[in-house]
Amino acid sequence: MKHSLLFGLLCSPVGIGFGIILRNTDWGSEELTTGYGLGFISSAGIAAFLAPCFIWYIMIERRERISVSRGITVGALGAALAHFVCWYLFLLSNYIEKLYLGKLTEYILGPLEGILAALTYSFVSLLLFGLIILPIGALIGGCYATHIKETQYKTLLKRVADILKVL
């Protein structure tokens, strides 16, 4: 589990960075920059941690199969899934904010409607930013898998040397 968590921590700054870039860009919308909800930067950072962490655990850590190609694949998949998670967290936090702070003056998407909206928004954001985000995720995944493989190899060599010293 520690490898998954560390992988999520490595990916999180990328989400936060892109959240900051997108928030500071004038898109003509007040929703990205105002409100008490999680906000886009927080949603992007949390999503960039959760999605790659989950995918790494499911595809690599639980199966105990690590390779550089799997790391690259998991990094790209984690980056793609993070788009959906980011949008859903953003929509859900806005819904909770409007519901509990009594600002329901206009129609707001509920949690179930937010799933379809998050799928749509993530598809569009992948079209716009996928050529940047997916290779970054793949690079992080490949580098991290290489690091783990080298660490495991060095540990194995050290154990073999210790056994040979005893003999």
Side-chain angles (χ1 to χ4, degrees):
M1 187 71 168
K2 73 176 185 175
H3 291 296
S4 303
L5 294 174
L6 186 56
F7 183 61
L9 286 174
L10 290 172
C11 294
S12 189
V14 175
I16 293 169
F18 271 93
I20 290 170
I21 290 168
L22 291 176
R23 181 172 183 228
N24 291 336
T25 304
D26 183 22
W27 297 95
S29 173
E30 293 280 325
E31 288 186 27
L32 291 176
T33 59
T34 60
Y36 298 101
L38 280 177
F40 198 76
I41 296 171
S42 302
S43 297
I46 293 168
F49 171 78
L50 289 177
C53 179
F54 174 74
I55 298 279
W56 188 277
Y57 180 75
I58 295 296
M59 291 187 68
I60 292 179
E61 200 161 339
R62 191 176 77 179
R63 295 178 183 195
E64 296 180 3
R65 293 182 189 166
I66 188 159
S67 67
V68 176
S69 61
R70 276 185 180 258
I72 291 170
T73 303
V74 166
L77 286 174
L81 180 62
H83 280 261
F84 170 76
V85 174
C86 173
W87 281 110
Y88 188 70
L89 284 174
F90 181 68
L91 292 170
L92 188 64
S93 69
N94 283 338
Y95 172 76
I96 292 170
E97 171 195 355
K98 303 283 192 235
L99 183 69
Y100 289 111
L101 294 179
K103 296 182 181 178
L104 270 177
T105 56
E106 73 275 351
Y107 179 75
I108 189 97
L109 294 174
L112 293 178
E113 297 163 322
I115 294 172
L116 183 59
L119 281 171
T120 305
Y121 294 159
S122 64
F123 177 74
V124 171
S125 68
L126 276 171
L127 288 177
L128 293 174
F129 303 107
L131 289 176
I132 300 168
I133 299 291
L134 297 180
I136 291 173
L139 179 68
I140 294 171
C143 290
Y144 187 56
T146 302
H147 170 72
I148 291 173
K149 291 285 282 185
E150 288 177 358
T151 305
Q152 288 176 346
Y153 183 69
K154 289 177 185 176
T155 304
L156 178 65
L157 286 178
K158 185 177 178 184
R159 287 182 183 167
V160 169
D162 291 341
I163 290 171
L164 292 176
K165 285 180 185 177
V166 170
L167 295 176

